[in-house]
Amino acid sequence: MPITTTTHLNFRGDARAALDFYHSVFGGDVVAVTYKEAGGVQNPDEADWVMWGQVVAGTGFRVMAYDVPSRTPWNPGENAVFVSVRGDDTEEITALWDKLAVGSTVVQPLEPAQWAPLYGMLKDRFGVVWVLDVTAPYSG
């Protein structure tokens, strides 16, 4: 039976905006269930926060997100997670980069690298670090 792994991003009040942004970049379908919709409201100020959400695209892209409630400790950290997007089409990776780069801080511009035809790293406006690259044949 095949299994999949999905990057699960944790926010504090920004999950819906992040999911909508990633949907605008990668397409697909967005699902977001609020604490209110799930009957899990413990803080009325957080009723409309996302308890469970995801973006799933036909290309295989999938990301999950939720808003960590204030009763739970949360620290986004500095380099706890990188989301890696890899493909073999330079134009597709460049187009995704251009969309993700809006409002972001570029750590490493998307450009040819010694190990890949294109490689770049950025931190988006939600503090998530993305690494995009065009795959190269591995000769180990």
Side-chain angles (χ1 to χ4, degrees):
M1 170 200 282
I3 63 167
T4 61
T5 59
T6 302
T7 303
H8 191 285
L9 306 173
N10 302 328
F11 298 95
R12 184 153 277 156
D14 286 327
R16 182 177 301 278
L19 288 167
D20 289 344
F21 175 65
Y22 302 141
H23 173 255
S24 76
V25 173
F26 295 98
D29 298 308
V30 177
V31 177
V33 177
T34 66
Y35 284 95
K36 179 173 40 182
E37 292 167 334
V41 176
Q42 292 192 15
N43 179 340
D45 293 336
E46 300 168 0
D48 292 324
W49 282 12
V50 174
M51 187 179 94
W52 180 86
Q54 72 176 9
V55 175
V56 177
T59 59
F61 176 83
R62 176 185 298 258
V63 69
M64 295 174 67
Y66 97 115
D67 288 310
V68 179
S70 59
R71 70 180 183 280
T72 304
W74 177 73
N75 182 338
E78 283 301 309
N79 290 318
V81 174
F82 291 165
V83 180
S84 176
V85 178
R86 307 187 83 203
D88 58 8
D89 185 303
T90 301
E91 289 181 22
E92 181 180 24
I93 294 299
T94 300
L96 294 172
W97 173 271
D98 290 344
K99 292 176 186 177
L100 278 172
V102 174
S104 74
T105 301
V106 174
V107 178
Q108 170 67 43
L110 185 67
E111 58 190 16
Q114 186 176 6
W115 60 90
L118 282 179
Y119 171 87
M121 179 187 290
L122 59 80
K123 182 182 283 191
D124 73 18
R125 65 184 185 227
F126 301 103
V128 177
V129 178
W130 294 79
V131 176
L132 280 75
D133 67 328
V134 173
T135 56
Y138 178 73
S139 57

